[in-house]
Amino acid sequence: MDMVSLADIESSQMPIMVKRPPPLLCSRPFGSRNSTSSDAATSSTRGTPQTDTPVRRGWVPASSPSRWEGSASSTPSPAPTARISPSSASSAAPIPKTTAPTASSNLHHTIGLPDFTQELRCFQPLTCAQESTKQANHQIRSRRRRLTSQSESIHRRRRSSRNEQAVIESGHGGGICNRREANPAMAATEEEELLWRLIRDRTLGYDSRALTINGERRIILSGSIHYPRSTPEMWPELIRKAKEGGLDAIETYVFWNVHEPLYRQYDFSGNLDLVRFLKTIQDAGLYAILRIGPYVCAEWNYGGFPVWLHSIPNIQFRTNNTVYEHEMQTFTGKIVDLVKSSKLFASQGGPIILAQIENEYGNIMSAYGQGGIQYINWCANMAESMDISVPWIMCQQSNAPDPIINTCNGWYCDQFKPKNDKIPKIWTENWTGWFQDWGGPLPYRTAEDVAFSVARFFEFGGTVQNYYMYHGGTNFGRTAGGPFITTSYDYDAPLDEYGNLNQPKWGHLKSLHDVLHKIEKALTYGDVQNIDYTDVQQVTIFTYNNKSSCFIGNANENEDFTVTVLGNNFTVPAWSVSILPDCKTEVYNTAKVNAQTSVMVKKETEAEQEPYGLQWQWKGEPVNHWNSKHTFVANQLLEQKAATNDTSDYLYYMTQFAVYDNDPFTGPNTLLSVQTEGHVLHVYIDKKHIGTQWASGGFTFEANVQLESGIHTLTLVSTTVGLTNYGGNFDTVPVGVLGPVKLTATSSSGVIVKDLSTNQWKYKVGLDGEDHHLYTGQASKWHTESLPIGKEFVWYKTTFEAPLGEDPVVVDLLGLGKGAAWVNGQSLGRYWSSNFAGTGGCDSTCDYRGAYYSSKCQYNCGNPTQRWYHVPRSFFTDGTNTLLLFEELGGNPSNVHFQTVTVGSVCGHAYEGHRLELQCQGEGTIKEIKFASFGNPGGACGSFLTGNCAAPKTEHIVKRLCLGKSRCVIHVTDKLFGTLPCLTGDARLAVEAVC
């Protein structure tokens, strides 16, 4: 049988340079490949380590030289960039009609090559058995030309239609031929799916302008969705909404501590099923970015490290330590092998186009000295040895060793410069909001500012941008880190914690994504001309195939910017970017939001008469375990992580001491003092509660105690609220009672101190209720009378019917203190409903103008930090359901009840020439138009005001178009509403509707 070489299908028009594997036999299965070790040279040049930054996710610009050794020897020729000042170029000057440099003039880095020759040979209706080399090669070349010509149109069609099923999976070489012969009328869409797969999987690489897929430069818009922060039942809908929002890829971390909670005992079940999550992404037709880490930060408990790692002798985390490196490589290899075995890397036909090793190490590398530099080099070599055939990245690592790509994290990355001019500009974390601490207000980042940051990133050469987060989700169980990170990880993301569209952020970004996709060729292939007017105001022109697209940027926080482009005047609001795909018409401005605003409400469930329908049972949690069989003894105070292995939030420290007659400690002024590293401390003497105190760092508990002569038992219950997840050497931050623990009394002879720190101490890990799995609701001997109110360390139990409908469900825990909640044995996470945000620091309005920071726009001051807790519908059963609460501080469960979350009302504020889409949630319909005005309306959603120039029939028109419908689209034009001679400037339509 003659063999077909890959050279026969190469097109001189395609900028693809590959290491050619051996020629393929016709019978070779599609998707198989010969693995070759990379000969990319490792870097011998390192940049200076980045210094510590005071901000959790502060951006540190990359500056170190490095290189990626491709298989081509030519010098890269990035597209010409001209930066011109207004003094040397008129703003109205004709745009240069310069074609982009040919793609072949750019060094193209190619990674991996699936063997699809057989598919190309067999993709024909009649001659599947043909073996003639000459005829086969002719057909391959013909098919290749057709694929190349159709690729762009197919790609556009797939982007505009976001509901396709998974790509066709094929078996052996003749599979498609057999299907065609069996069904000559093979659907065109099915053929397109195959073409899409061949286009997508042909090769993956990068150059200075972009990632390249099948030799085509691509911009990638991605969003973070963390699989453990939702449920498998939620994944398809979350990913569908991300795709509808204009995303090309989904990004996720891999969370070591939940996958290997005990040494070499792995868990990939339920919402930890990484492969299922990645396949769900693939089924939606999206790419994936896999951030293996395995350190993740992510406001996740212990940064994603399993706590047993801390107890291995002679280990030091994240530095040149062979013990740690062995464990890191073992887990990384486990994940890579798992993903490889499912053929999920792009080089295997899967969705994963980028993989990350380590995470934000450059921010804290200086804490590790020379060991940090050695470690980061080891990380790069270890990652490359995994042979995944997709690019590896390191975020916040300006000296990332070759061939690793360094990337940026932050609120703004437009000024980020990759380490050299041979790699693309990638933004791995664009923070769409911020996380929340117990006792803190809710952070908020405007849609205008997020869009501004994205538009500037692509204006200044960006190619891959990932939203952190696109869906934040929920910190179920004990996964929240910090310490003191809330159970909700909403993050003010485009999809809220429950999976609802967070409008207007989702819609405003979707519109931006649509525009960026339309000008993708110009952004990735076009000549670039920058015209600076001031340090913060500029016009950027991308010219491709004699057509130009323009960005007009205005980073001035206070003043609008007016400029003339091609004879047309444009005024760009302060702190915004306008995009003109043809340099003539503004189709998008980051400050002009045309998407609806959804006002979410919580509705009472119709399943039962709540809250009084809930009948409670209770069971006490013992605090004295001195005689328990489940204790162990040490002659010192133990650090809590070491004692518990983080199997519980709770550790009991117990010791006994004697007080004698006429002892000064029997006096009324005896002071008990306990030094602890947090986070919460409950103190008991002889089962009597002395007091409770908490703080995010170390603190000293002090209380006066009245002691009688005799033997006394001191019980200290130390509670963690998430382990530290960020910082240099964060893994060594201690928790628990480390002392001193002492009694102080005053007598005629002076101050007397009884130091209990060196006593023999008994320890018990976890609650009795945890040991007996009370949270499953199956235990007997629950009390039904004399429900305790305001008592600490109590278990509560009730049953309920699942709320009707499909809207997301929450449980309102107002009235309770602090503890944990379960539904049908599934953990909802920690609750702390009695922890209120302070009264200061919130804003009644939020000005999008000016650089964002975590405390810039906040709300919910003076209210419980978190009152409602997400209950995924997959947690419910069809019959009776059980809610279990462990109350730690003391509270009242009487007002606990379930609610559903839905859209209560929608508002729109769209500019003339755009369209306004109003939509209720689920099966809801628009039942009332509370306000409608076309002209110059003022105010904001919920308080709109009619301006001094308004079309008289606006309300009637909007009612006709929208009432009784779940969704309506209004084209905002004077043709619909009538001309307004009284108005100067753009007209606007403002609408408020009730669902």
Side-chain angles (χ1 to χ4, degrees), residues 29-102:
F30 174 79
S32 60
R33 71 184 188 91
N34 289 338
S35 298
T36 57
S37 60
S38 172
D39 64 355
T42 57
S43 175
S44 59
T45 307
R46 309 289 179 227
T48 55
Q50 293 166 295
T51 58
D52 290 327
T53 57
V55 179
R56 143 72 179 87
R57 294 179 180 275
W59 165 57
V60 181
S63 59
S64 63
S66 188
R67 57 193 171 90
W68 171 273
E69 299 285 353
S71 57
S73 59
S74 61
T75 303
S77 302
T81 300
R83 182 166 288 278
I84 307 170
S85 65
S87 60
S88 60
S90 169
S91 60
I95 298 170
K97 295 183 178 181
T98 306
T99 60
T102 60

Side-chain angles (χ1 to χ4, degrees), residues 256-268:
W256 187 357
N257 59 348
V258 294
H259 289 306
E260 193 178 358
L262 299 175
Y263 183 76
R264 299 301 183 263
Q265 296 183 29
Y266 297 101
D267 185 1
F268 293 93

